[in-house]
Amino acid sequence: MSTSSASPEYQKYKHFVVSAPSAGVAHVEINRPKKLNAFARDVWLEFGAVFEQLSADADVRAVVLSGAGDKAFTAGLDVVDSSAMFEQKGMSRDVARRAKALRATIEEFQVCVGAMEKCEKPVICVLHGVSFGLAIDIATCADIRICAANTRFSVKEVDIGIAADVGTLARLPKVVGSTSWVKDVCMSAREFSAQEALSVGFVSAVHEDKGKASPVAVQGTKELLNYGRDHGTVDSLRYTTIWNSANVQSEDFQKALLSGLKRTKPTFEKL
Ligand SMILES: CC/C=C\C=C\CC(=O)SCCNC(=O)CCNC(=O)[C@H](O)C(C)(C)COP(=O)(O)OP(=O)(O)OC[C@H]1O[C@@H](n2cnc3c(N)ncnc32)[C@H](O)[C@@H]1OP(=O)(O)O
């Protein structure tokens, strides 16, 4: 990816602007500000494609996701587009056929949003303004979440008559420590502030210099943290052993191992 305001190989996207503010960093902006960056089906399909492309792009070492405009990171599911789509898919008179069509849509949405979690590069999600519903599903797929002081969070789904189904209920309890708080915000859909999000650990402070660490080490850390979240300690340690037995052979490890003692700042090849 070349350093520019809009990288040519990412210009095919209608709803996302992908730029390279500095070498190795991709900035992905959800770009539908007039509709508060709401996600219609074509938006979520593009979201999945963007993150698959970034995952495979060796020039990218870290990804920052934000929403365009002053008002919103995203107001969530495009409720106008979705009501038409769900009505259409529910038109068959047979319940099993209706359910099958709807299941495919929900699974497609989960896979597209999950592409961000699967992306092999660290993803930093920067939230601001309205951050409702899908915003939380997306944020829970990020490695690091930071937000502006004006952020209005809501796990909004119960307000539109559904249980959240794109990842919040599966991932949020693993992101924050308090099940009581998770159930509170998920069952009430009440808004919570940036300060509250910080106090429960949903967002954290800004970390600098993310692009300078070894990509072998950073991408390995992401893989092992996600694995550790979903598996027991014994399995995770075993997987870590196998993973690192390959990666300690990397030249990145050779360069970095004594860098503290030697007061050197090694640079690393892209991965
Ligand atoms: C299979 C199911 C999968 C996924 C499920 C996901 C769950 C969710 O994401 S639940 C959350 C759904 N979102 C909402 O219910 C929010 C709806 N919007 C609002 O309540 C308000 O817009 C607001 C966020 C409180 C902001 O209000 P305000 O500041 O007054 O702005 P508006 O004038 O209302 O909005 C500006 C513009 O954007 C359009 N818009 C806003 N949100 C959505 C949305 N979610 N879907 C579609 N369009 C949205 C709004 O209609 C306005 O458009 P105009 O063309 O200017 O009228």
Side-chain angles (χ1 to χ4, degrees):
M1 177 186 253
S2 55
T3 308
S4 70
S5 56
S7 303
E9 62 269 44
Y10 289 90
Q11 275 175 5
K12 60 189 170 200
Y13 298 109
K14 182 174 161 207
H15 300 300
F16 294 88
V17 175
V18 183
S19 58
S22 62
V25 178
H27 178 202
V28 179
E29 204 173 28
I30 313 162
N31 190 32
R32 217 186 160 215
K34 287 188 180 149
K35 296 289 180 187
L36 304 190
N37 298 321
F39 274 59
R41 182 167 181 258
D42 59 339
V43 185
W44 79 62
L45 289 174
E46 280 198 358
F47 184 89
V50 168
F51 277 95
E52 276 181 18
Q53 188 175 351
L54 289 165
S55 187
D57 187 338
D59 287 332
V60 173
R61 291 184 177 209
V63 184
V64 178
L65 173 71
S66 67
D70 295 335
K71 289 183 76 173
F73 170 72
T74 173
L77 180 72
D78 186 318
V79 287
V80 179
D81 173 82
S82 300
S83 62
M85 187 179 65
F86 283 115
E87 207 175 316
Q88 202 183 18
K89 289 192 191 278
M91 273 176 46
S92 162
R93 290 181 60 202
D94 181 71
V95 64
R97 288 170 177 81
R98 285 203 301 269
K100 184 169 177 166
L102 292 167
R103 208 162 57 232
T105 302
I106 296 166
E107 279 171 8
E108 176 190 83
F109 206 164
Q110 290 174 349
V111 168
C112 290
V113 168
M116 189 169 111
E117 185 180 62
K118 283 213 168 101
C119 173
E120 292 183 30
K121 319 302 164 61
V123 180
I124 302 162
C125 183
V126 184
L127 302 111
H128 76 285
V130 173
S131 297
F132 286 179
L134 187 60
I136 313 293
D137 295 291
I138 290 173
T140 58
C141 287
D143 298 292
I144 295 165
R145 288 164 291 281
I146 61 175
C147 72
N150 72 353
T151 311
R152 294 168 56 191
F153 294 100
S154 169
V155 183
K156 189 78 175 157
E157 280 84 345
V158 294
D159 272 355
I160 64 162
I162 55 168
D165 53 7
V166 186
T168 292
L169 300 185
R171 295 187 179 100
L172 188 59
K174 293 169 180 159
V175 166
V176 302
S178 167
T179 311
S180 167
W181 182 84
V182 169
K183 289 188 173 174
D184 166 12
V185 294
C186 292
M187 293 196 248
S188 68
R190 72 170 174 82
E191 281 190 33
F192 57 98
S193 65
Q195 202 49 47
E196 185 172 346
L198 183 64
S199 73
V200 296
F202 182 59
V203 295
S204 60
V206 179
H207 294 273
E208 290 181 75
D209 285 350
K210 282 289 156 200
K212 293 190 178 152
S214 152
V216 173
V218 172
Q219 292 176 36
T221 299
K222 172 165 182 165
E223 171 70 16
L224 295 172
L225 280 171
N226 283 347
Y227 190 92
R229 182 197 57 193
D230 298 335
H231 297 81
T233 305
V234 172
D235 281 351
S236 297
L237 285 172
R238 182 84 187 127
Y239 184 53
T240 303
T241 306
I242 308 286
W243 184 277
N244 262 10
S245 62
N247 282 329
V248 293
Q249 299 179 55
S250 153
E251 64 169 19
D252 291 24
F253 186 59
Q254 304 298 325
K255 282 183 184 174
L257 184 61
L258 296 178
S259 60
L261 285 183
K262 290 182 179 168
R263 313 286 193 269
T264 55
K265 286 196 187 300
T267 56
F268 305 99
E269 293 298 314
K270 62 191 181 190
L271 180 62

